[in-house]
């Protein structure tokens, strides 16, 4: 239950430990034996034993969890070669909703709490391209379009296609937060209009399933390095062109580590070499992702994710593609 959002130090946001402890106590009071597994922006995860985990959601409603369950059922029936989450039941604590899910086997491809850059080992990188290829092959279904992205109230898909909808989202997010964005990217208004124009004119090709948050910690592998499961759908999960997911995945592979520049070069070469996506296409999607997520967790360069997005939007190679 993590995301690529960072705090001011470049790590992931964490929840109030007191809140996590309280949730554990309430779960124990209901007869569970919770063992904390992880905590992130959206809540906390507890192992319950007998192959199950509880996810306590920091702010999601029961209706939102029900919509997520519909989406995850469709993902589970999409024929992916690895396991994905499945919501079995939903309950209420004093100040939060929790879901009971099957525990998925494996260990993270690389954990997200070490502060180090992920190793650039070919077998690890192949896991990421294998996941991207599997998602790209998923046949689009309406049930895979039901989730909103980010903190939006409604699903991304409406009239038109993914790129048109993404262009509208770019303009909407900038209109809402232009003052804060302009402090870091002075021409963000012009940039947003250029992005929306480029997106509306793009021939995106066939759609697949977009995960939207393919950090290494969300990919589980076995002792042999084979992908066993993919976690944490929901941050930007929908139907759309596989190149968008690839552009985001190559950029968020190493957002804050000490070797992030080397990681960026390696991931860009890997994605382009594996899938043949033109740099201009990847750059347009990367810029759009940076714009729409820029103020999601904070609105100044002291916040890690905001600063990362501003850096993307100041990159000469990204701007040249627009």
């Amino acid at each position: 239950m993590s995301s690529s959002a960072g705090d001011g130090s470049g790590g992931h946001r964490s929840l109030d430990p007191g809140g996590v402890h309280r949730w554990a106590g309430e779960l124990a009071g209901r007869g569970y034996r919770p063992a904390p597994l992880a905590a992130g922006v959206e809540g906390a995860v507890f192992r319950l034993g007998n192959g199950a985990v509880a996810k306590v959601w920091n702010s999601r409603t029961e209706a939102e969890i029900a919509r997520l369950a519909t989406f995850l059922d469709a993902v589970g029936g999409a024929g992916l070669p690895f396991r994905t989450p499945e919501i079995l039941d939903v309950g209420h604590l004093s100040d939060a909703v929790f879901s009971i899910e099957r525990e998925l086997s494996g260990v993270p491809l690389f954990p997200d709490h070490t502060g180090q850059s992920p190793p650039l080992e070919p077998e690890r990188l192949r896991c990421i391209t294998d996941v991207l290829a599997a998602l790209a092959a998923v046949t689009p279904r309406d049930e895979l379009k039901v989730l909103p992205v980010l903190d939006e109230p409604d699903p991304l898909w409406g009239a038109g296609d993914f790129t048109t909808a993404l262009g509208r989202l770019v303009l909407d997010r900038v209109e809402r937060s232009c003052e804060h964005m302009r402090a870091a990217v002075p021409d963000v208004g012009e940039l947003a209009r250029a992005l929306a124009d480029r997106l509306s004119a793009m021939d995106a090709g066939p759609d697949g399933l977009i995960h939207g948050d393919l950090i290494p910690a969300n990919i589980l592998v076995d002792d042999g390095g084979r992908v066993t499961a993919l976690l944490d759908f929901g941050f930007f999960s929908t139907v759309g062109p596989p190149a968008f997911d690839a552009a985001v995945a190559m950029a968020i592979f190493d957002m804050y580590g000490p070797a992030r520049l080397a990681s960026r070069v390696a991931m860009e070469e890997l994605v382009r070499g594996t899938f043949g996506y033109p740099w201009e296409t990847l750059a347009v999607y990367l810029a759009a992702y940076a714009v729409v997520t820029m103020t999601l967790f904070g609105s100044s360069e002291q916040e890690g994710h905001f600063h990362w997005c501003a850096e993307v939007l100041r990159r000469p190679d990204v701007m040249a593609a627009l």
Side-chain angles (χ1 to χ4, degrees):
M1 191 181 285
S2 61
S3 84
S4 52
D7 58 24
S9 64
H12 289 266
R13 288 186 172 195
S14 59
L15 295 173
D16 172 19
V20 175
H21 181 74
R22 183 181 69 256
W23 289 339
E26 291 191 39
L27 288 169
R30 293 168 181 261
Y32 298 110
R33 300 179 63 183
L37 279 178
V41 174
E42 289 202 293
V45 184
F46 302 88
R47 178 179 284 122
L48 302 179
N50 297 319
V53 298
K55 289 186 177 180
V56 184
W57 300 87
N58 191 35
S59 59
R60 292 205 186 199
T61 66
E62 186 171 356
E64 289 172 326
I65 301 303
R67 183 161 51 182
L68 177 62
T70 297
F71 173 85
L72 292 176
D73 285 347
V75 172
L80 291 167
F82 39 76
R83 297 187 67 188
T84 53
E86 177 187 3
I87 294 177
L88 306 175
D89 198 6
V90 178
H92 295 266
L93 301 179
S94 61
D95 63 347
V97 177
F98 71 94
S99 57
I100 303 297
E101 304 183 16
R102 298 192 192 282
E103 183 172 8
L104 301 178
S105 63
V107 298
L109 185 63
F110 191 79
D112 64 355
H113 56 75
T114 66
Q116 299 301 308
S117 293
L120 297 174
E121 300 170 358
E123 60 272 19
R124 289 176 182 260
L125 301 185
R126 274 198 301 273
C127 289
I128 297 174
T129 53
D130 287 349
V131 169
L132 285 168
L135 295 173
V138 169
T139 300
R141 297 169 51 189
D142 287 344
E143 294 88 347
L144 296 173
K145 300 179 181 179
V146 300
L147 294 185
V149 299
L150 312 178
D151 56 357
E152 294 291 313
D154 301 311
L156 177 69
W157 277 82
D161 53 19
F162 174 88
T163 52
T164 301
L166 183 59
R168 286 196 300 267
L169 184 60
V170 165
L171 294 174
D172 288 347
R173 301 290 288 202
V174 169
E175 182 178 359
R176 284 179 246 164
S177 303
C178 188
E179 180 180 351
H180 299 295
M181 292 181 176
R182 190 181 289 126
V185 184
D187 59 348
V188 69
E190 294 81 357
L191 170 62
R193 289 189 288 273
L195 263 174
D197 288 344
R198 284 296 304 272
L199 286 164
S200 65
M202 287 177 67
D203 180 9
D207 289 326
L209 174 60
I210 291 174
H211 180 280
D213 196 23
L214 281 178
I215 56 174
N218 285 341
I219 299 172
L220 301 186
V221 296
D222 62 16
D223 292 340
R226 293 176 293 270
V227 177
T228 59
L230 180 59
L231 308 179
D232 280 358
F233 288 87
F235 181 72
F236 211 117
S237 300
T238 187
V239 167
F244 176 85
D245 219 8
V248 174
M250 75 181 189
I252 66 176
F253 173 78
D254 182 9
M255 298 176 74
Y256 309 114
R260 58 187 178 276
L261 295 180
S263 297
R264 187 182 86 191
V265 171
M267 287 301 296
E268 290 175 0
E269 290 179 350
L270 175 72
V271 165
R272 295 179 66 185
T274 302
F275 300 108
Y277 299 133
W279 168 247
E280 290 75 13
T281 298
L282 297 172
V284 168
Y285 286 142
L286 176 56
Y289 175 84
V291 168
V292 301
T293 67
M294 189 170 182
T295 58
L296 193 61
F297 305 102
S299 55
S300 77
E301 293 232 36
Q302 281 64 54
E303 197 282 320
H305 187 83
F306 183 99
H307 178 75
W308 180 87
C309 291
E311 285 190 327
V312 169
L313 297 175
R314 291 193 291 250
R315 281 176 52 178
D317 57 339
V318 172
M319 292 302 95
L322 302 182

